[in-house]
Amino acid sequence: MKKPLVYTERWAKDTSFSIDIKTHIHHEKSPFQTIDFYDSETFGRFFTLDGLMMVNEKDEFIYHDMISHVPMAVNPDIKRVLIIGGGDGGTAREIARYSHIESIDMVEIDERVVRLSEQFLPQTASTLSNDSRIHLHFKDGVEFVQNTPENTYDLILVDSTDPIGPGEGLFTEAFYKNCYKSLNAKGILINQHESPYFERDKIQMVRAHQRIKSTFPIAKVYQFNMPTYPSGHWLFGFASKHYDPINHHQKDVWESFGLYTKYYNSNLHEAAFQLPTYVLEALNHDA
Ligand code: SAM
C-alpha cells in the first residue's frame, strides 16, 4: 500500500502534530516566506507559511470570530479598522459583516499570500475583492503604522505570523507605540498573542504582554481553543486607551446586530478573559 503524504509541524522539541495529505496543491517561495497549500480529509484545505499552520477550512472560524467580534462587542460604534497581516482574508471577512463599518485598511507584507488565498481558499479570501470598503496595501505593517497620522483608527487588528521572519517587528514595543498613536482616544488594539503552553510560545506571550502593558493603560489577554495551533490553547491581546473588555461589554447592542457566529457568543466573551492560574502567573512575570 502507498504510504500517505504527511504534513508534520514541530510543536515542541520532542512533540509534533501531523495531518495526512490528500494533495499538495501548491508550493512556492515568496520574497518573504515559503507558502504551501494542501488538501486533507479532516481539516479540508489549509495553508502553511514557513512550515507553520496558518488557516484551514475546519477551524478558521474560531480564530476569525475571536479576533473580530470581541472588540466589536466592546465598542459597537467602530467604523475605521486597520488589519495588519491577515492575508488569508478571514479577519476582513468577519469585520465586513458589520454594515456600519466605513473602511477596512488591510496591510499585508506578502501579496502572494492574498493572491494564493483568493485562488485556493475562497472560504476566507473571497470578500477581499468583493467589498469596496476593503483597501489592500502590500506593505510592511511596521512601517505603515509609523507613517499613519495620529487618531486615524477605531480598531487595529494584528493578524500576524509568529515573531520570526517578517512578523518579528509586529511584536516590538516601537510597533505597539505606533499603534497607540494611530488609534483615536477610544481605540482598541487586538493582537495575535501566542500561547501559554509550550516554552517557545510562552516566552513570546510574556514578552508581548509586557510590551503592550507598558504602552496601553488597559492590557488584557483572552483565550480560545484552536485545535491546529500548538497545544490548541491560543491567546489574543486586548489593549485600549479607554475600554475595559468586560466592564464595557455591550452585549445587547452586539446582539441587536443579529450576526450568527459559530464560536463567539456573549457569555463566551466574558468567560474568555478568565485565565488559568499558570497563565496569570506567567503574564505577571518578566520573560
Ligand atoms: N491566523 C494566522 C496565525 O495566527 O497563524 C495568521 C494568518 S495571516 C496569514 C498572517 C500574515 O501576516 C501572513 O500572511 C504574513 O505575510 C503577514 N505578515 C507577517 N509580517 C508582516 C508584516 N510585518 N507586515 C504585514 N504583514 C505581515
Side-chain angles (χ1 to χ4, degrees):
M1 213 175 77
K2 215 174 137 203
K3 266 176 73 179
L5 279 173
V6 178
Y7 165 76
T8 296
E9 181 173 322
R10 199 45 100 185
W11 277 9
K13 67 176 185 298
D14 56 356
T15 305
S16 297
F17 170 72
S18 293
I19 303 174
D20 286 359
I21 298 302
K22 286 206 291 197
T23 320
H24 190 167
I25 301 167
H26 188 82
H27 169 82
E28 77 175 56
K29 278 188 199 302
S30 78
F32 303 98
Q33 51 213 342
T34 302
I35 310 174
D36 289 278
F37 279 77
Y38 302 93
D39 265 334
S40 72
E41 192 178 322
T42 298
F43 292 100
R45 190 158 286 183
F46 68 94
F47 85 98
T48 63
L49 294 179
D50 291 335
L52 297 174
M53 170 67 79
M54 291 292 125
V55 171
N56 66 74
E57 288 178 325
K58 188 169 171 61
D59 69 15
E60 59 86 7
F61 71 98
I62 301 173
Y63 183 97
H64 295 126
D65 267 17
M66 291 302 276
I67 197 172
S68 309
H69 302 303
V70 170
M72 292 305 297
V74 173
N75 177 10
D77 206 29
I78 283 169
K79 293 196 171 67
R80 294 176 57 85
V81 181
L82 170 65
I83 298 170
I84 295 180
D88 54 86
T91 299
R93 177 196 67 197
E94 287 308 303
I95 292 293
R97 294 177 71 194
Y98 295 88
S99 55
H100 66 277
I101 292 282
E102 289 170 359
S103 74
I104 304 170
D105 285 327
M106 190 177 114
V107 182
E108 164 60 61
I109 202 167
D110 193 344
E111 181 170 1
R112 291 303 295 153
V113 175
V114 172
R115 299 304 169 214
L116 291 167
S117 298
E118 288 178 327
Q119 187 179 352
F120 297 124
L121 210 56
Q123 178 173 317
T124 53
S126 64
T127 315
L128 293 176
S129 54
N130 287 326
D131 192 314
S132 59
R133 296 169 301 167
I134 301 177
H135 311 285
L136 299 179
H137 309 263
F138 296 113
K139 293 185 176 153
D140 184 345
V142 174
E143 280 174 35
F144 191 90
V145 289
Q146 239 168 11
N147 300 321
T148 299
E150 283 180 31
N151 302 315
T152 301
Y153 295 106
D154 302 314
L155 173 64
I156 299 178
L157 301 171
V158 187
D159 183 359
S160 68
T161 45
D162 295 333
I164 28 168
E168 202 175 337
L170 303 176
F171 287 77
T172 59
E173 203 163 333
F175 171 72
Y176 298 132
K177 286 199 180 344
N178 282 320
C179 288
Y180 183 94
K181 172 209 73 179
S182 307
L183 286 165
N184 60 33
K186 293 193 171 178
I188 298 174
L189 169 75
I190 305 290
N191 71 304
Q192 201 274 89
H193 212 297
E194 300 293 306
S195 166
Y197 197 73
F198 291 120
E199 198 54 28
R200 181 191 60 186
D201 306 316
K202 178 183 152 191
I203 291 168
Q204 302 303 345
M205 168 198 83
V206 173
R207 269 195 200 133
H209 187 60
Q210 295 300 331
R211 289 169 183 173
I212 296 173
K213 221 166 57 174
S214 69
T215 309
F216 283 83
I218 295 155
K220 301 277 166 76
V221 172
Y222 62 102
Q223 60 186 354
F224 55 104
N225 173 244
M226 194 65 187
T228 54
Y229 288 175
S231 84
H233 186 183
W234 215 259
L235 307 171
F236 282 124
F238 178 108
S240 173
K241 299 184 184 185
H242 170 78
Y243 289 109
D244 178 278
I246 293 182
N247 297 340
H248 294 108
H249 180 201
Q250 298 209 47
K251 176 178 180 302
D252 296 341
V253 181
W254 187 82
E255 287 177 0
S256 74
F257 294 145
L259 297 178
Y260 170 73
T261 46
K262 194 169 159 189
Y263 189 83
Y264 176 82
N265 59 55
S266 297
N267 288 336
L268 182 82
H269 178 112
E270 305 204 359
F273 286 89
Q274 306 307 323
L275 301 175
T277 308
Y278 83 98
V279 182
L280 289 172
E281 285 171 355
L283 291 172
N284 287 328
H285 287 82
D286 287 322

Short mmCIF file of all heavy atoms in Angstrom, two decimals, residues 94-137:
data_model
loop_
_atom_site.label_atom_id
_atom_site.label_comp_id
_atom_site.label_asym_id
_atom_site.label_seq_id
_atom_site.Cartn_x
_atom_site.Cartn_y
_atom_site.Cartn_z
N GLU A 94 -14.90 38.81 8.46
CA GLU A 94 -15.75 38.96 9.65
C GLU A 94 -16.08 40.43 9.94
O GLU A 94 -17.21 40.76 10.27
CB GLU A 94 -15.08 38.32 10.88
CG GLU A 94 -15.10 36.80 10.85
CD GLU A 94 -16.50 36.22 10.62
OE1 GLU A 94 -17.42 36.52 11.39
OE2 GLU A 94 -16.67 35.44 9.65
N ILE A 95 -15.07 41.31 9.82
CA ILE A 95 -15.31 42.73 10.09
C ILE A 95 -16.29 43.31 9.06
O ILE A 95 -17.16 44.12 9.39
CB ILE A 95 -13.97 43.51 10.11
CG1 ILE A 95 -13.11 43.10 11.31
CG2 ILE A 95 -14.19 45.02 10.09
CD1 ILE A 95 -13.66 43.49 12.68
N ALA A 96 -16.19 42.84 7.83
CA ALA A 96 -17.05 43.37 6.76
C ALA A 96 -18.52 42.97 6.96
O ALA A 96 -19.40 43.52 6.31
CB ALA A 96 -16.54 42.87 5.41
N ARG A 97 -18.78 42.05 7.87
CA ARG A 97 -20.18 41.67 8.13
C ARG A 97 -20.96 42.79 8.82
O ARG A 97 -22.18 42.78 8.84
CB ARG A 97 -20.23 40.40 9.00
CG ARG A 97 -19.66 39.18 8.27
CD ARG A 97 -19.65 37.97 9.17
NE ARG A 97 -20.99 37.47 9.42
CZ ARG A 97 -21.31 36.60 10.38
NH1 ARG A 97 -20.36 36.13 11.17
NH2 ARG A 97 -22.55 36.19 10.54
N TYR A 98 -20.24 43.75 9.42
CA TYR A 98 -20.92 44.88 10.09
C TYR A 98 -21.18 45.96 9.05
O TYR A 98 -20.23 46.56 8.52
CB TYR A 98 -20.05 45.44 11.21
CG TYR A 98 -19.81 44.45 12.34
CD1 TYR A 98 -18.75 43.55 12.29
CD2 TYR A 98 -20.68 44.39 13.43
CE1 TYR A 98 -18.54 42.64 13.32
CE2 TYR A 98 -20.47 43.48 14.46
CZ TYR A 98 -19.41 42.61 14.39
OH TYR A 98 -19.21 41.70 15.40
N SER A 99 -22.46 46.24 8.79
CA SER A 99 -22.76 47.17 7.70
C SER A 99 -22.34 48.60 8.05
O SER A 99 -22.16 49.42 7.16
CB SER A 99 -24.25 47.10 7.35
OG SER A 99 -25.00 47.33 8.52
N HIS A 100 -22.20 48.91 9.36
CA HIS A 100 -21.85 50.29 9.71
C HIS A 100 -20.34 50.57 9.63
O HIS A 100 -19.92 51.70 9.80
CB HIS A 100 -22.37 50.63 11.11
CG HIS A 100 -21.72 49.84 12.20
ND1 HIS A 100 -22.11 48.57 12.56
CD2 HIS A 100 -20.67 50.14 13.01
CE1 HIS A 100 -21.35 48.13 13.55
NE2 HIS A 100 -20.47 49.06 13.84
N ILE A 101 -19.53 49.56 9.36
CA ILE A 101 -18.09 49.80 9.20
C ILE A 101 -17.88 50.62 7.92
O ILE A 101 -18.44 50.29 6.87
CB ILE A 101 -17.33 48.45 9.09
CG1 ILE A 101 -17.37 47.68 10.41
CG2 ILE A 101 -15.89 48.64 8.60
CD1 ILE A 101 -16.42 48.14 11.48
N GLU A 102 -17.06 51.67 8.05
CA GLU A 102 -16.87 52.55 6.88
C GLU A 102 -15.66 52.15 6.03
O GLU A 102 -15.73 52.21 4.81
CB GLU A 102 -16.70 54.01 7.35
CG GLU A 102 -18.00 54.57 7.87
CD GLU A 102 -17.84 55.91 8.56
OE1 GLU A 102 -16.69 56.42 8.67
OE2 GLU A 102 -18.87 56.45 9.02
N SER A 103 -14.54 51.80 6.71
CA SER A 103 -13.38 51.43 5.90
C SER A 103 -12.51 50.41 6.64
O SER A 103 -12.41 50.42 7.87
CB SER A 103 -12.55 52.67 5.55
OG SER A 103 -11.85 53.10 6.67
N ILE A 104 -11.93 49.52 5.83
CA ILE A 104 -11.04 48.48 6.37
C ILE A 104 -9.75 48.55 5.55
O ILE A 104 -9.73 48.19 4.37
CB ILE A 104 -11.67 47.07 6.21
CG1 ILE A 104 -13.05 47.01 6.89
CG2 ILE A 104 -10.73 46.00 6.77
CD1 ILE A 104 -13.86 45.74 6.57
N ASP A 105 -8.69 49.07 6.18
CA ASP A 105 -7.37 49.04 5.52
C ASP A 105 -6.71 47.73 5.92
O ASP A 105 -6.59 47.44 7.12
CB ASP A 105 -6.50 50.21 6.01
CG ASP A 105 -6.93 51.53 5.40
OD1 ASP A 105 -7.39 51.53 4.24
OD2 ASP A 105 -6.81 52.56 6.09
N MET A 106 -6.28 46.95 4.94
CA MET A 106 -5.57 45.71 5.27
C MET A 106 -4.14 45.81 4.74
O MET A 106 -3.94 45.97 3.53
CB MET A 106 -6.30 44.51 4.68
CG MET A 106 -5.75 43.20 5.20
SD MET A 106 -6.66 41.80 4.58
CE MET A 106 -5.38 41.06 3.58
N VAL A 107 -3.19 45.74 5.66
CA VAL A 107 -1.77 45.90 5.29
C VAL A 107 -1.09 44.54 5.40
O VAL A 107 -0.85 44.05 6.50
CB VAL A 107 -1.09 46.92 6.23
CG1 VAL A 107 0.36 47.11 5.82
CG2 VAL A 107 -1.82 48.24 6.20
N GLU A 108 -0.81 43.95 4.28
CA GLU A 108 -0.22 42.60 4.24
C GLU A 108 1.12 42.71 3.51
O GLU A 108 1.18 43.22 2.39
CB GLU A 108 -1.20 41.65 3.53
CG GLU A 108 -0.63 40.33 3.05
CD GLU A 108 -0.06 39.44 4.16
OE1 GLU A 108 -0.82 39.05 5.06
OE2 GLU A 108 1.15 39.16 4.10
N ILE A 109 2.17 42.22 4.15
CA ILE A 109 3.50 42.39 3.56
C ILE A 109 3.66 41.55 2.30
O ILE A 109 4.41 41.93 1.38
CB ILE A 109 4.60 42.05 4.61
CG1 ILE A 109 5.92 42.70 4.25
CG2 ILE A 109 4.78 40.55 4.80
CD1 ILE A 109 6.96 42.68 5.38
N ASP A 110 2.94 40.46 2.20
CA ASP A 110 3.20 39.48 1.13
C ASP A 110 1.97 39.33 0.23
O ASP A 110 1.02 38.62 0.56
CB ASP A 110 3.56 38.13 1.79
CG ASP A 110 4.15 37.15 0.80
OD1 ASP A 110 4.01 37.38 -0.42
OD2 ASP A 110 4.74 36.15 1.26
N GLU A 111 2.01 39.99 -0.91
CA GLU A 111 0.87 39.93 -1.84
C GLU A 111 0.56 38.50 -2.27
O GLU A 111 -0.58 38.14 -2.53
CB GLU A 111 1.15 40.80 -3.08
CG GLU A 111 -0.02 40.78 -4.04
CD GLU A 111 0.06 41.78 -5.18
OE1 GLU A 111 1.06 42.52 -5.26
OE2 GLU A 111 -0.90 41.81 -5.97
N ARG A 112 1.59 37.65 -2.31
CA ARG A 112 1.38 36.26 -2.75
C ARG A 112 0.41 35.51 -1.82
O ARG A 112 -0.34 34.67 -2.26
CB ARG A 112 2.71 35.50 -2.85
CG ARG A 112 3.62 35.98 -3.96
CD ARG A 112 2.95 35.90 -5.32
NE ARG A 112 2.66 34.54 -5.73
CZ ARG A 112 1.67 34.19 -6.56
NH1 ARG A 112 0.87 35.10 -7.07
NH2 ARG A 112 1.48 32.92 -6.88
N VAL A 113 0.45 35.83 -0.53
CA VAL A 113 -0.48 35.15 0.40
C VAL A 113 -1.92 35.50 0.01
O VAL A 113 -2.80 34.63 -0.04
CB VAL A 113 -0.20 35.55 1.88
CG1 VAL A 113 -1.25 34.94 2.81
CG2 VAL A 113 1.19 35.12 2.31
N VAL A 114 -2.15 36.76 -0.31
CA VAL A 114 -3.51 37.19 -0.70
C VAL A 114 -3.91 36.54 -2.02
O VAL A 114 -5.00 35.95 -2.13
CB VAL A 114 -3.57 38.73 -0.82
CG1 VAL A 114 -4.90 39.17 -1.42
CG2 VAL A 114 -3.37 39.36 0.55
N ARG A 115 -3.04 36.60 -3.00
CA ARG A 115 -3.42 36.08 -4.33
C ARG A 115 -3.64 34.56 -4.29
O ARG A 115 -4.58 34.05 -4.91
CB ARG A 115 -2.35 36.44 -5.38
CG ARG A 115 -2.14 37.94 -5.56
CD ARG A 115 -3.43 38.68 -5.91
NE ARG A 115 -3.26 40.14 -5.82
CZ ARG A 115 -4.21 40.99 -5.44
NH1 ARG A 115 -5.40 40.54 -5.08
NH2 ARG A 115 -3.97 42.27 -5.40
N LEU A 116 -2.79 33.85 -3.56
CA LEU A 116 -2.96 32.39 -3.48
C LEU A 116 -4.19 32.04 -2.65
O LEU A 116 -4.90 31.07 -2.96
CB LEU A 116 -1.70 31.73 -2.89
CG LEU A 116 -0.47 31.79 -3.81
CD1 LEU A 116 0.79 31.40 -3.04
CD2 LEU A 116 -0.64 30.87 -5.02
N SER A 117 -4.48 32.81 -1.62
CA SER A 117 -5.69 32.55 -0.83
C SER A 117 -6.93 32.81 -1.69
O SER A 117 -7.91 32.07 -1.61
CB SER A 117 -5.73 33.43 0.42
OG SER A 117 -4.64 33.14 1.26
N GLU A 118 -6.87 33.85 -2.51
CA GLU A 118 -8.02 34.11 -3.41
C GLU A 118 -8.23 32.93 -4.36
O GLU A 118 -9.35 32.55 -4.67
CB GLU A 118 -7.80 35.41 -4.20
CG GLU A 118 -7.94 36.63 -3.31
CD GLU A 118 -7.68 37.95 -4.03
OE1 GLU A 118 -6.83 37.99 -4.94
OE2 GLU A 118 -8.31 38.95 -3.66
N GLN A 119 -7.10 32.35 -4.78
CA GLN A 119 -7.19 31.23 -5.73
C GLN A 119 -7.61 29.92 -5.04
O GLN A 119 -8.47 29.21 -5.55
CB GLN A 119 -5.81 31.05 -6.39
CG GLN A 119 -5.81 30.05 -7.52
CD GLN A 119 -4.41 29.94 -8.15
OE1 GLN A 119 -3.49 30.72 -7.85
NE2 GLN A 119 -4.25 28.96 -9.02
N PHE A 120 -7.01 29.65 -3.90
CA PHE A 120 -7.19 28.32 -3.29
C PHE A 120 -8.08 28.29 -2.04
O PHE A 120 -8.47 27.21 -1.60
CB PHE A 120 -5.82 27.72 -2.91
CG PHE A 120 -4.90 27.48 -4.07
CD1 PHE A 120 -3.63 28.04 -4.10
CD2 PHE A 120 -5.30 26.69 -5.15
CE1 PHE A 120 -2.77 27.82 -5.17
CE2 PHE A 120 -4.45 26.46 -6.22
CZ PHE A 120 -3.19 27.03 -6.24
N LEU A 121 -8.32 29.44 -1.44
CA LEU A 121 -9.07 29.43 -0.18
C LEU A 121 -10.18 30.50 -0.20
O LEU A 121 -10.19 31.41 0.64
CB LEU A 121 -8.09 29.67 0.98
CG LEU A 121 -8.40 29.07 2.34
CD1 LEU A 121 -8.60 27.55 2.30
CD2 LEU A 121 -7.31 29.42 3.33
N PRO A 122 -11.12 30.38 -1.13
CA PRO A 122 -12.18 31.40 -1.22
C PRO A 122 -13.02 31.50 0.05
O PRO A 122 -13.60 32.56 0.33
CB PRO A 122 -13.03 30.94 -2.42
CG PRO A 122 -12.65 29.53 -2.68
CD PRO A 122 -11.25 29.35 -2.18
N GLN A 123 -13.06 30.43 0.84
CA GLN A 123 -13.84 30.47 2.09
C GLN A 123 -13.43 31.68 2.95
O GLN A 123 -14.27 32.31 3.57
CB GLN A 123 -13.60 29.16 2.87
CG GLN A 123 -14.31 29.11 4.21
CD GLN A 123 -14.19 27.75 4.88
OE1 GLN A 123 -14.33 26.71 4.24
NE2 GLN A 123 -13.93 27.73 6.18
N THR A 124 -12.13 31.98 3.00
CA THR A 124 -11.71 33.16 3.77
C THR A 124 -11.46 34.37 2.88
O THR A 124 -11.69 35.50 3.29
CB THR A 124 -10.42 32.87 4.58
OG1 THR A 124 -9.41 32.35 3.69
CG2 THR A 124 -10.66 31.91 5.71
N ALA A 125 -11.01 34.15 1.63
CA ALA A 125 -10.48 35.28 0.85
C ALA A 125 -11.48 35.94 -0.09
O ALA A 125 -11.20 37.03 -0.61
CB ALA A 125 -9.26 34.82 0.06
N SER A 126 -12.64 35.35 -0.31
CA SER A 126 -13.48 35.87 -1.40
C SER A 126 -14.00 37.28 -1.12
O SER A 126 -14.25 38.05 -2.04
CB SER A 126 -14.65 34.92 -1.70
OG SER A 126 -15.47 34.85 -0.57
N THR A 127 -14.13 37.65 0.16
CA THR A 127 -14.63 39.00 0.48
C THR A 127 -13.64 40.09 0.05
O THR A 127 -14.04 41.23 -0.22
CB THR A 127 -14.88 39.13 2.01
OG1 THR A 127 -15.55 37.96 2.45
CG2 THR A 127 -15.70 40.34 2.36
N LEU A 128 -12.35 39.75 -0.01
CA LEU A 128 -11.33 40.78 -0.24
C LEU A 128 -11.55 41.57 -1.52
O LEU A 128 -11.29 42.77 -1.57
CB LEU A 128 -9.92 40.15 -0.26
CG LEU A 128 -9.42 39.59 1.08
CD1 LEU A 128 -8.07 38.92 0.92
CD2 LEU A 128 -9.37 40.68 2.15
N SER A 129 -12.04 40.90 -2.56
CA SER A 129 -12.24 41.62 -3.83
C SER A 129 -13.71 41.98 -4.06
O SER A 129 -14.07 42.51 -5.10
CB SER A 129 -11.73 40.76 -4.99
OG SER A 129 -12.36 39.51 -4.92
N ASN A 130 -14.56 41.70 -3.06
CA ASN A 130 -16.00 41.91 -3.25
C ASN A 130 -16.60 42.95 -2.32
O ASN A 130 -17.82 43.02 -2.21
CB ASN A 130 -16.76 40.59 -3.03
CG ASN A 130 -16.53 39.65 -4.17
OD1 ASN A 130 -16.39 40.09 -5.30
ND2 ASN A 130 -16.47 38.35 -3.88
N ASP A 131 -15.76 43.70 -1.63
CA ASP A 131 -16.30 44.69 -0.71
C ASP A 131 -15.49 45.97 -0.88
O ASP A 131 -14.29 45.99 -0.58
CB ASP A 131 -16.22 44.17 0.74
CG ASP A 131 -17.02 45.03 1.70
OD1 ASP A 131 -16.91 46.27 1.63
OD2 ASP A 131 -17.77 44.46 2.51
N SER A 132 -16.16 47.02 -1.37
CA SER A 132 -15.42 48.24 -1.73
C SER A 132 -14.88 48.97 -0.49
O SER A 132 -14.07 49.90 -0.62
CB SER A 132 -16.32 49.17 -2.53
OG SER A 132 -17.45 49.48 -1.74
N ARG A 133 -15.28 48.57 0.70
CA ARG A 133 -14.74 49.22 1.92
C ARG A 133 -13.36 48.68 2.27
O ARG A 133 -12.66 49.25 3.10
CB ARG A 133 -15.70 48.98 3.10
CG ARG A 133 -17.07 49.63 2.91
CD ARG A 133 -18.03 49.13 3.98
NE ARG A 133 -18.18 47.68 3.93
CZ ARG A 133 -18.74 46.93 4.88
NH1 ARG A 133 -19.22 47.52 5.96
NH2 ARG A 133 -18.83 45.62 4.75
N ILE A 134 -12.98 47.53 1.65
CA ILE A 134 -11.67 46.93 1.97
C ILE A 134 -10.61 47.47 1.02
O ILE A 134 -10.75 47.41 -0.20
CB ILE A 134 -11.73 45.38 1.86
CG1 ILE A 134 -12.78 44.82 2.81
CG2 ILE A 134 -10.35 44.76 2.12
CD1 ILE A 134 -12.99 43.31 2.73
N HIS A 135 -9.55 48.05 1.62
CA HIS A 135 -8.45 48.60 0.83
C HIS A 135 -7.19 47.81 1.14
O HIS A 135 -6.76 47.78 2.30
CB HIS A 135 -8.24 50.08 1.16
CG HIS A 135 -9.52 50.86 1.14
ND1 HIS A 135 -10.15 51.22 -0.02
CD2 HIS A 135 -10.32 51.28 2.15
CE1 HIS A 135 -11.27 51.86 0.26
NE2 HIS A 135 -11.40 51.91 1.57
N LEU A 136 -6.61 47.18 0.13
CA LEU A 136 -5.42 46.36 0.34
C LEU A 136 -4.16 47.19 0.14
O LEU A 136 -4.05 47.94 -0.83
CB LEU A 136 -5.40 45.19 -0.63
CG LEU A 136 -6.57 44.20 -0.53
CD1 LEU A 136 -6.43 43.10 -1.59
CD2 LEU A 136 -6.64 43.59 0.86
N HIS A 137 -3.21 47.06 1.07
CA HIS A 137 -1.92 47.74 0.96
C HIS A 137 -0.86 46.66 1.11
O HIS A 137 -0.80 46.00 2.16
CB HIS A 137 -1.72 48.76 2.09
CG HIS A 137 -2.87 49.71 2.26
ND1 HIS A 137 -2.87 50.98 1.71
CD2 HIS A 137 -4.06 49.58 2.91
CE1 HIS A 137 -4.00 51.59 2.03
NE2 HIS A 137 -4.74 50.77 2.75
#
